[in-house]
Structure formats: structure tokens, C-alpha cells
Amino acid sequence: MTEHRPIPARSEPVKVPLGKRPLGVFGSLAAGRRNILELIPEIATHAPILSGRTGKRWHMVMDPDALRHILRENVTNYPKSVVTKLILEPAIGDSLFVAEGQEWLWQRRTAAPVFSHRNVAALAPVMSAAAERACARIATGTGRAVNCYDEMVTATFEVISDVTFSDGEGFDRASVHRAIEDYMAQTARVSLLDIIGAPAWVPRPGRLLSGAAMRQMKRVADGSIQRRRAEGNPGVPDLLDLLMAGEDPKSGRKMTTPELRDNLLTFIVAGHETTALTLSWALYLCAFDPAVQAAARAEAQAALGTRAATAADIAALPLIRRIVDETLRLYPPAAFLSRTAQAADTLCGREVLPGDTIILPIYALHRHHALWGRPDSFDPDRFAEPKAVDRYAYLPFGDGPRVCIGANFALQEAVIILATLLARFRFDLVPGKAPKPVMILTLRPEGGVWLTVTPA
């Protein structure tokens, strides 16, 4: 019998120790390589805007009205930063995530119907099947500690590879997954050259080392696309089929093989890890608060009995959806965004000059004391009335024209898998094994999420 220790009522889940003093260039480099979120000063959770210079002028924005201006009202003035492009372009080319202007616009118009509610709902059986397989794997570890982060990465990678290349022919999932992991480990850390604002053409040594794995991954994806063009897919249309059939309604342009490949790799890179992180942190938070977990389990069991959740069950799982929302508030996968100002502007009464770096510290925004009561506490009920939350105080998927195209896909997947797991298992903290939130490209639990698993 596992001993369940009560959690002190006033304790808070793990968080990043934000800085209390200026870091300077070399301090910023050390922090950026260790954990990007350590670049955020603690005062950012109280102030509307902070400005400074670390090689380049920067402004850190936490004010919802200013964020609306950046992301929606004056979005063309704030394209993704040079650093973001340096990190991601070698992996995903000039795809939706990286492209700007007209190149972005036609791709977005082409891809938007792919993620319609109907198409996303039609992919739900893949998510339910992955939830069943995750339960089967976790069941072999009941009674002992399981690294739930590894399990969730496996589950969500199964989903994204099944809905992108559903036939799996010639698509070596293990090698693609390894290439993505290696690429992130070697390239996503902030370089001193990034901090001081060196031009894009100056080589970043770490990013030169990881090219071979990415080139091989692109060759594998190109082969799968060409085979699909030749042979078709007799099953349910997957993301590749839907993108191949898609065309820009304005120009009639269709995606070439390299454009299809870069966008599918974008969905694989962005679509599996972010949901795996959300699920891992959600399980940690449920273990952290056994009362919330018990209520969520009762909800899941009432809706599901012993079967896996489906898209049709989501309306009957409001608490589990709120747990996902609160997890995305406390541990947003994209916790630190940056833009580069193209023209002079004003934010919160402060002058912005062309070339200034605009930092959107989503982690600090989601824990801002002026916007949230008890901001570091886990409280899913703060989302009981969604209209009570300021739209620009909560940005796990960004907003404006560039809001995450796969947000509905990710939320559906997270609720289906989380509900299925909670209906069948109880998750408890392992003393001395708390995860540590560390952001490199995404906000990961360093050391994994180790929880003791017992049958529900």
C-alpha cells in the first residue's frame, strides 16, 4: 500500500527562480544556456514593461493591452526575432512557423482548413488509441515510480506520426524522433552571438554540428511524400493528404514537396513535444494536489467507465479541460517569445526603435500579480468562467493572425489522453524527485516527471 502524504495547504508547485539582479552580457549568456527563463527578472511579474540593453536594446512586455498591439493590431511591425529564425530555419525551413509576410499568408490560408473542427475531430480515434497504448505501458509499472514525461513523449509522438504519415511506410519514426531531439539539444541553446545581436550570417558553431541528422530526416520525409503522391492513401485522410489537397483560395497555389515536408516537420516538432509537456506537467500537478486529482478521476470515470476517451466525451470533462488550461498557465510550453521591431512605435508610453528586441515572457505574464490571484498556486477553478480571464493575460498559443494553428488539435489530444489516464490510475509524488522547470526551446521538466502509479 503506498503511503499518501498530505500536501501542506499553502505550498506551491515547482517554479523557476526568477532573477533579483541585472545579469549583464556574460551573465545573460550563462543563464540563457542554463535556462532561458532565468533571463526574466522577478520584477517582471509585477511591472507592465521593462527595458534595457544587453548588447541590443530590449523591451520585456507583460501588459495585456501592449501585447494585443504587438500580436494583433500592429503585427506586421513585430515579426519573429532573428534568434528564433536562426534556431528553427535549419530544421523546418521557411514553413508556417518561421515565414513572414506574403510567404506566411498563403501557407496559412492553405493550411487553415486542415485544422478545421471537423478534420481535428476525425483524427480523435488516433488519440484514443494512443491513450490506450499509454495505459498498457504504464500498467506494467504500477506500484513503482514511472517517468511520466517519457511516457507522454512516446504517446504524443505516436499521435503526431500517425496523423502526419499514417501509412508509416518508409518513415522511420525512431530515427526522426532522435534527429529532432539531437537538433533541439545542440541548436536551441542561446549563443553569445545571439545575445549581443550579431548578424544572422555570422556562423553559430553549435548549429553547424547538427545538420547531418536534419538532412537525413528531410530525405526520409521527402521519400514518404513522393510515395504518397504516387500511391495515394486508402485510409482516413491524414494531415499529409489534407495538405496535399489544399490550395490557397486566393492564388490557387499548392504546396511543393519541400513546402509540404517543411510544414509536416513543423507539425511534428511543434505538435508532439508541446502536448507531451502539457500532459507531463498536468500529471505532476494532479499528483501535487490529490483533491483535484480525485475530483478529476470521478469525472473521468463517470464519463468513460473503462474505455478510452473520445472527442464526443470532451463536453462531459470540464474539470479535466480546466486542469489542462491551468497547466498551460503555470507551465506554458512556449514560455518565452521574442520579436524584432521593424519601425518606431510606442509600448506602454515607452519609445521603441527599429531593431529593438521585444520579449514576450509568457511565463511571467501567466504569473503576473496584477493579473492573477495567487499566481503561483495551482487552481483549475480560475478557468471556471473563461470570460473572466483577460484574453491577453493568457497566451499559451499566442494570439492574433499567428495564433497556433494546431491549438484545437493539442487541446483535444491533451483532454483525451489525460482523462483516460486519470480514470485508470492514481498518480503520487515521489519524495525528493520534483521536476525542475527548465526552458531551452520549450519549458521542459528537467530530470523527468517521476510519479508513483497505482491502479485507480
Side-chain angles (χ1 to χ4, degrees), residues 15-24 27-28 31-32 34-54 58-62 335-337 350 359-369 376:
K15 59 185 178 180
V16 177
L18 301 182
K20 298 283 203 299
R21 57 188 176 78
L23 292 170
S28 296
R34 185 172 59 241
N35 183 358
I36 286 174
L37 296 185
E38 291 182 25
L39 295 171
I40 301 174
E42 199 274 333
I43 193 157
T45 62
H46 298 268
I49 188 168
L50 300 172
S51 300
R53 181 184 287 277
T54 311
W58 54 262
H59 309 278
M60 194 174 279
V61 182
M62 290 71 59
F336 189 94
L337 308 176
R350 198 157 291 181
I359 298 166
L360 316 181
I362 305 301
Y363 184 86
L365 175 75
H366 285 185
R367 293 169 181 261
H368 201 283
H369 290 254
D376 293 314

Side-chain angles (χ1 to χ4, degrees), residues 384-407:
E385 287 295 332
K387 289 189 171 63
V389 176
D390 186 314
R391 180 69 199 84
Y392 285 83
Y394 179 65
L395 295 169
F397 297 105
D399 199 69
R402 298 198 72 139
V403 66
C404 173
I405 198 170

Side-chain angles (χ1 to χ4, degrees), residues 60-104:
M60 194 174 279
V61 182
M62 290 71 59
D63 176 71
D65 289 339
L67 289 165
R68 179 183 290 104
H69 180 74
I70 293 165
L71 294 171
R72 183 175 289 277
E73 294 162 0
N74 197 16
V75 64
T76 55
N77 192 45
Y78 296 102
K80 296 199 173 183
S81 71
V82 170
V83 174
T84 304
K85 292 176 182 174
L86 284 170
I87 290 171
L88 293 173
E89 266 181 334
I92 58 179
D94 203 21
S95 63
L96 260 177
F97 195 83
V98 178
E100 298 290 349
Q102 292 303 309
E103 188 60 26
W104 167 80

Side-chain angles (χ1 to χ4, degrees), residues 6 12 16 28 34-35 57 91 130 236 238 260 268 331 343 363:
E12 294 170 345
V16 177
S28 296
R34 185 172 59 241
N35 183 358
R57 272 169 53 104
V236 174
D238 59 16
L260 283 167
I268 292 172
Y331 306 108
Y363 184 86

Side-chain angles (χ1 to χ4, degrees), residues 12 17 74 119 191 201 253 258 283 361 414 416 437:
E12 294 170 345
N74 197 16
N119 285 337
S191 158
W201 51 262
R253 182 174 170 184
L283 289 171
I416 284 174

